[in-house]
Amino acid sequence: MKALRIVLQLVILGAGGITLAALISQPAPDFTTIVIFGGFVALLLALTLALKEHTEKRLVPGHKLSFKPMGIVMILLGAFGIFYGASFLIDQQSLPNDSGTCRAVCGLILLISEIFGETVAKFFAFGTWSSIGLFLCFVGYKVKGVKAT
């Protein structure tokens, strides 16, 4: 398991370093993108360190399964859904176009924009994605609090 974790860390550092170098070497580098991607790489490395601690704890006889990591991941997914919905409202994310690659929620937003207009579609997209995000946060909070079995 230790070798797998080290290989995973090397892959994260290699791919992250190459991508960060590509982002920085652009003629007009976007500072926000570089910071966000650097934070993402740091988060992945932190998760591999948490994997080390989790593996060591799991090897102890009588260890009970914890749902806390799954709950935290669901809360993070929910937060992403909320911020993604807000990006429609503040005009950072464009509404879907009629490219033919739209499915599920995207298709529903496209349908609403064609029927009711762009303004209503932005509010609908915000409401839909934020509702999904709040639901995932709620479920993640409940799962995080479940006692170990």
Side-chain angles (χ1 to χ4, degrees):
M1 191 65 165
K2 183 177 180 179
L4 179 64
R5 183 178 44 83
I6 291 172
V7 168
L8 182 62
Q9 288 173 339
L10 290 174
V11 168
I12 291 169
L13 285 174
I18 291 170
T19 306
L20 279 175
L23 288 173
I24 292 171
S25 68
Q26 291 180 351
D30 184 15
F31 181 71
T32 308
T33 306
I34 293 169
V35 169
I36 290 173
F37 187 76
F40 179 68
V41 169
L43 174 71
L44 288 177
L45 288 173
L47 287 175
T48 60
L49 292 176
L51 177 66
K52 174 186 175 187
E53 292 176 15
H54 182 70
T55 302
E56 290 172 355
K57 289 179 184 176
R58 195 182 64 204
L59 293 176
V60 174
H63 171 72
K64 296 187 177 191
L65 182 63
S66 174
F67 292 103
K68 190 173 183 177
M70 186 182 296
I72 291 172
V73 167
M74 290 181 78
I75 289 172
L76 290 174
L77 282 173
F80 171 76
I82 293 169
F83 287 118
Y84 186 67
S87 71
F88 282 105
L89 202 58
I90 60 173
D91 280 338
Q92 291 292 329
Q93 182 73 21
S94 62
L95 290 172
N97 57 10
D98 196 15
S99 64
T101 60
C102 219
R103 303 273 192 272
V105 176
C106 176
L108 192 58
I109 294 169
L110 177 63
L111 182 65
I112 295 293
S113 70
E114 289 177 357
I115 294 173
F116 297 109
E118 189 174 314
T119 305
V120 174
K122 285 182 182 184
F123 282 107
F124 180 77
F126 166 71
T128 303
W129 282 110
S130 295
S131 298
I132 292 169
L134 285 172
F135 176 73
L136 285 173
C137 282
F138 174 75
V139 170
Y141 179 74
K142 291 295 184 180
V143 166
K144 189 180 103 158
V146 170
K147 297 291 182 193
T149 57

